[in-house]
Amino acid sequence: MAITMTDRAAEHVRSYIAKRGKGIGLRLAVRTTGCSGMAYVLEFADELAANDAVFEHDDIKVVVDPKSLVYLDGTELDFAKEGLNEGFKFNNPNVKDECGCGESFNI
């Protein structure tokens, strides 16, 4: 099982951790919500739990709990700017369908 991150995403996370003054990377998870059933959850990771899976790109860690990893296996985390909008993009090969607003997905 693996989660990857592009150089753009790693650099974006690195700059926010530097501004924040602490952190080891991002915690990536899924939760039940939205039109299609599941949504991505991103937050800063300051520490690891005993059962966390850790994936690293350069010096940035992506931390995933075991329940979420089942849905996220193979996902590439990217950061993109499109016009005035910018944000993380999740290239998840497990997704079967997404809602029209792009907030949720199902597997």
Side-chain angles (χ1 to χ4, degrees):
M1 296 191 150
I3 308 291
T4 59
M5 178 184 282
T6 65
D7 291 338
R8 282 187 305 248
E11 186 54 41
H12 186 75
V13 173
R14 187 178 293 107
S15 70
Y16 269 87
I17 288 174
K19 288 178 191 173
R20 190 172 176 254
K22 66 177 182 175
I24 59 170
L26 282 181
R27 181 169 294 280
L28 175 59
V30 294
R31 65 182 161 109
T32 303
T33 188
C35 319
S36 294
M38 303 183 98
Y40 298 104
V41 178
L42 274 178
E43 53 190 29
F44 287 107
D46 293 328
E47 56 189 39
L48 300 174
N51 59 352
D52 283 337
V54 180
F55 306 94
E56 215 166 319
H57 181 86
D58 292 334
D59 58 338
I60 301 298
K61 292 175 176 51
V62 178
V63 181
V64 183
D65 67 88
K67 290 181 181 178
S68 296
L69 186 55
V70 173
Y71 303 105
L72 296 169
D73 184 30
T75 297
E76 177 190 59
L77 183 60
D78 193 10
F79 187 82
K81 291 183 180 185
E82 296 172 357
L84 297 176
N85 298 319
E86 65 179 18
F88 287 101
K89 289 194 160 207
F90 304 91
N91 301 314
N92 185 341
N94 305 303
V95 171
K96 300 277 190 264
D97 193 25
E98 295 179 315
C99 69
C101 65
E103 290 294 316
S104 62
F105 66 95
N106 66 41
I107 293 185

